Amino acid sequence: MSTTVVTMAPARPGLLRRLTRDPGAAVALVFVVVVLLAAIFAPWLSPTDPFDNDLSQSMAPPGTEGLPLGADAQGRNLVTRLLYGLRASLAMGFFAVILGGGIGAALGFLAAFYQRWLDAPIMRLVDIMLSFPAILFGLAIAAILGPGMPAVVLALSVATVPLMARIVRGSALVVMRADYIEAARATGMGDLRLIWRHLAPNCLSALFVFATLRFGQVILLGSALSFLGLGAQPPNPELGAMASEGRNFLFFAPHIAVIPSVAIFAVVLAFNMLGDALRDALDPRLRV
Amino acid sequence: MLRHALHRLLLAVPVLFGVLLIGFLLMQVVPTDPATVRAGPQASAELIAEIRRDLGLDKPLAVQFGLYLWRLAQGDLGVSIINNVPVVQELGATIGPTLELMLASLFWSIPLGIFLGTLGAYYRGTLIDRGVMAISVAGVSIPVFFLGLILIWYVGFKWQWLPFTGRGGPVWTLDGLRSLALPAITLGGVFVGPVSRMTRTAVLDVLSLDHVRTARAKGLSERLVVLRHALRNAMVPIVTLIGLQIGFLLGGAVVTETVFTWPGVGRLAVGAITSSDLPMAQGTIIVLSLGFILVNLIVDVLYAALDPRMRAA
């Protein structure tokens, strides 16, 4: 039994206040919360079923009675479609960041912790993965698995792994030089426990900032892949796929394409602004 | 510099191998038999067996990989399942338009981005700076297809100023130039944001260096300090960062080509994947990857050439 005295970075008071000092960031934060809630509670908030169609209402413009955002070409209520589309797009981004970010972070920690043996091979792998833009992962994986959400989530995850690995490794290398790591090691603590208890918590701010910024990028990329027909397949509601469907009716009913496009734009913008503000508040030196 | 270039070249080898391996595996995981496809629907079993032997499909996987590399080296990427056209022929017809689109986009977006970024750094902390930052964060957040659809709706459909489907001809003809305009504005439009953001950061970084303080102490005007001392020294990081964004540009190009039915490699790739035309999909993915590796290599060497400190290394 040993008691480890560890000097953790003191919890910074008033993160929320510092974050919201910038009015833009405050608006972004509120918007992100609202969007997350809307996505989570979409089945309860939606006035109709997402697949309910009423062809007599086909392409009804926004403001039609009972259809505040209008209807799409199939006569489906766009409020419902928007809520479910948000849900699908955010879920896609969430799984991609969790999966790719998780693997990337693990690789980053291992590279920094076992610098002697693992750093070089892991970083070479990261370099090689960085040699491919996300769109190529998207195309290749969609070609192998066939178009669909699993292909897009996998592609976005793979594209996230090397980026997260680099960020975490950089942050972990700094922490590794701290005295408390040496102290913890001296107590005979096992490697994995040391990483989990002392290395990882001190890299969290870098990890969190990057995950927030990446979430926006991943949604932008994923919706583009869906727009191309490589992701969510109609009639499933997903913002990029909805914009793609609406594109066919652009000249008769522009709102069908514009509503999901504006939603993507707003969500990505909010996550980017929030990520920038988080970075400034948590770690001004960190540039992603 | 030579060592640096050599190092990058060596790194490109496993990447290249990875691309070719992925291309090869792509054809292995699919359920369709290439020999049956190549022979056509009415072929006899003997013909299929013969084609199978010709293609080396009866050999072990490693040998097949070697054969595949050999055919690739001879420029044989197979035949489209959909229209029986050799993949190489389709690729040859689409590479030009894709390059045209990307170069035309860079042609206006890089200067504008560098201008805006420098403006933001020069007027740092003012309303102008905030405006530049707002443009750049909006630029990295807007979906490419949204920008394209807005331009199609207004410029193409409502005002009828410019065509918005297909390529009117080579870029040196008026029709070609007119048809290139909207796609190039769209793709460049999403590139201005990242370039201005990186430029602003790079210029601000240089502004905090000693030689800039000396220039200021000399009594130079702020305009001269920024233009002559800061921007010039920031060019190396700017070029590097722009090089790193080429992948982002490639992704945008695929979407832009689809929105404007521009006859490029990206649109060809998407069409091939959604119609399960695997030989064509394989060919487009290989070509796009090779192009990307090549551009990265050029940027790396260019970067070394731009920075005198790198030459000694």
Side-chain angles (χ1 to χ4, degrees):
Chain A
M1 269 291 285
S2 61
T3 47
T4 37
V5 180
V6 177
T7 47
M8 296 272 283
R12 288 151 176 256
L15 171 63
L16 197 67
R17 185 180 296 173
R18 262 182 302 144
L19 198 60
T20 50
R21 202 158 38 193
D22 173 10
V27 172
L29 180 64
V30 172
F31 185 77
V32 162
V33 171
V34 169
V35 163
L36 287 177
L37 290 176
I40 292 168
F41 295 107
W44 293 276
L45 292 171
S46 299
T48 54
D49 182 89
F51 301 105
D52 265 358
N53 60 341
D54 174 2
L55 284 176
S56 69
Q57 297 283 12
S58 171
M59 298 193 229
T64 307
E65 204 186 331
L67 297 166
L69 291 179
D72 66 9
Q74 315 289 320
R76 291 174 297 218
N77 188 333
L78 275 172
V79 173
T80 306
R81 299 288 288 177
L82 180 65
L83 286 168
Y84 274 91
L86 266 178
R87 190 177 161 90
S89 296
L90 291 179
M92 169 188 77
F94 182 77
F95 285 124
V97 170
I98 293 288
L99 186 65
I103 296 173
L107 286 176
F109 284 131
L110 289 176
F113 195 82
Y114 299 107
Q115 218 182 334
R116 272 251 196 85
W117 336 308
L118 287 183
D119 195 28
I122 288 179
M123 291 325 282
R124 282 300 84 72
L125 178 72
V126 163
D127 280 346
I128 290 172
M129 289 178 82
L130 281 174
S131 303
F132 295 97
I135 186 77
L136 281 176
F137 287 126
L139 292 174
I141 293 174
I144 294 172
L145 296 182
M149 278 301 237
V152 170
V153 171
L154 189 61
L156 297 174
S157 306
V158 173
T160 304
V161 167
L163 299 167
M164 184 60 108
R166 268 220 313 212
I167 300 279
V168 166
R169 172 182 173 270
S171 174
L173 280 178
V174 176
V175 176
M176 285 297 290
R177 285 198 292 266
D179 289 340
Y180 57 79
I181 295 287
E182 200 53 47
R185 208 199 285 270
T187 65
M189 191 179 254
D191 284 358
L192 279 181
R193 212 166 139 225
L194 190 59
I195 292 178
W196 184 250
R197 287 282 299 277
H198 298 298
L199 184 56
N202 287 295
C203 299
L204 270 188
S205 64
L207 203 151
F208 195 60
V209 168
F210 176 71
T212 307
L213 284 169
R214 186 63 188 164
F215 193 75
Q217 295 165 358
V218 157
I219 288 180
L220 194 61
L221 270 165
S223 67
L225 288 170
S226 281
F227 180 86
L228 293 172
L230 304 178
Q233 298 294 309
N236 290 320
E238 191 275 344
L239 297 175
M242 286 163 64
S244 174
E245 282 178 74
R247 182 185 159 217
N248 303 322
F249 310 101
L250 187 66
F251 303 138
F252 323 108
H255 69 278
I256 303 174
V258 167
I259 289 170
S261 302
V262 170
I264 299 166
F265 187 22
V267 168
V268 176
L269 189 65
F271 272 97
N272 277 336
M273 288 171 69
L274 191 63
D276 282 347
L278 264 178
R279 178 184 56 203
D280 293 343
L282 285 172
D283 187 357
R285 288 160 306 160
L286 194 75
R287 282 218 188 85
V288 186
Chain B
M1 182 187 156
L2 202 66
R3 237 181 76 190
H4 174 77
L6 222 66
H7 176 77
R8 303 305 305 190
L9 205 62
L10 280 178
L11 190 66
V13 172
V15 175
L16 188 67
F17 186 78
V19 169
L20 297 177
L21 189 64
I22 290 170
F24 175 70
L25 291 177
L26 194 62
M27 301 303 285
Q28 298 299 318
V29 294
V30 292
T32 46
D33 174 23
T36 318
V37 172
R38 209 173 256 218
Q42 270 105 42
S44 63
E46 290 82 40
L47 183 63
I48 293 175
E50 197 190 317
I51 292 176
R52 179 172 282 279
R53 265 195 309 280
D54 281 352
L55 290 175
L57 292 173
D58 51 347
K59 306 234 164 50
L61 222 54
V63 178
Q64 283 194 44
F65 185 57
L67 283 170
Y68 152 84
L69 289 182
W70 174 241
R71 278 199 298 271
L72 213 61
Q74 295 168 314
D76 177 8
L77 280 165
V79 175
S80 160
I81 295 175
I82 305 291
N83 58 11
N84 256 334
V85 176
V87 171
V88 174
Q89 190 184 321
E90 288 266 17
L91 282 171
T94 48
I95 288 174
T98 292
L99 281 178
E100 193 179 286
L101 172 62
M102 292 180 85
L103 289 177
S105 310
L106 293 175
F107 179 74
W108 73 272
S109 61
I110 289 182
L112 181 63
I114 290 180
F115 171 74
L116 286 176
T118 313
L119 206 67
Y122 182 78
Y123 291 107
R124 60 197 163 278
T126 68
L127 215 60
I128 294 178
D129 185 21
R130 290 187 72 94
V132 168
M133 290 300 283
I135 291 175
S136 65
V137 72
V140 294
S141 306
I142 192 168
V144 185
F145 55 81
F146 187 29
L147 190 57
L149 293 179
I150 293 173
L151 287 170
I152 288 179
W153 169 258
Y154 283 105
V155 185
F157 177 66
K158 207 168 172 198
W159 304 331
Q160 310 229 327
W161 285 354
L162 289 166
F164 54 86
T165 45
R167 178 168 175 259
V171 67
W172 52 86
T173 62
L174 185 65
D175 279 346
L177 208 59
R178 277 167 53 86
S179 65
L180 178 61
L182 282 186
I185 293 173
T186 302
L187 183 55
V190 295
F191 208 54
V192 171
V195 173
S196 59
R197 193 186 172 105
M198 293 177 306
T199 302
R200 180 179 173 278
T201 311
V203 171
L204 282 180
D205 276 352
V206 176
L207 278 177
S208 65
L209 295 182
D210 285 345
H211 74 269
V212 172
R213 202 174 47 206
T214 309
R216 282 220 182 90
K218 232 162 52 166
L220 286 186
S221 71
E222 185 66 13
R223 181 185 299 254
L224 272 181
V225 169
V226 169
L227 288 181
R228 198 184 286 170
H229 293 271
L231 181 60
R232 202 184 271 186
N233 283 293
M235 281 319 282
V236 174
I238 291 171
V239 167
T240 317
L241 290 166
I242 289 174
L244 290 175
Q245 294 293 320
I246 295 295
F248 175 79
L249 189 73
L250 189 64
V254 175
V255 178
T256 307
E257 286 177 8
T258 304
V259 171
F260 291 94
T261 47
W262 187 257
V265 185
R267 182 162 165 270
L268 185 67
V270 171
I273 294 166
T274 47
S275 60
S276 309
D277 186 351
L278 280 152
M280 189 66 84
Q282 179 201 36
T284 52
I285 290 170
I286 289 177
V287 162
L288 287 174
S289 310
L290 292 187
F292 184 70
I293 294 171
L294 193 69
V295 169
N296 266 349
L297 213 56
I298 292 171
V299 170
D300 271 331
V301 174
L302 199 71
Y303 159 63
L306 263 179
D307 190 344
R309 282 166 303 183
M310 291 297 298
R311 274 176 224 153

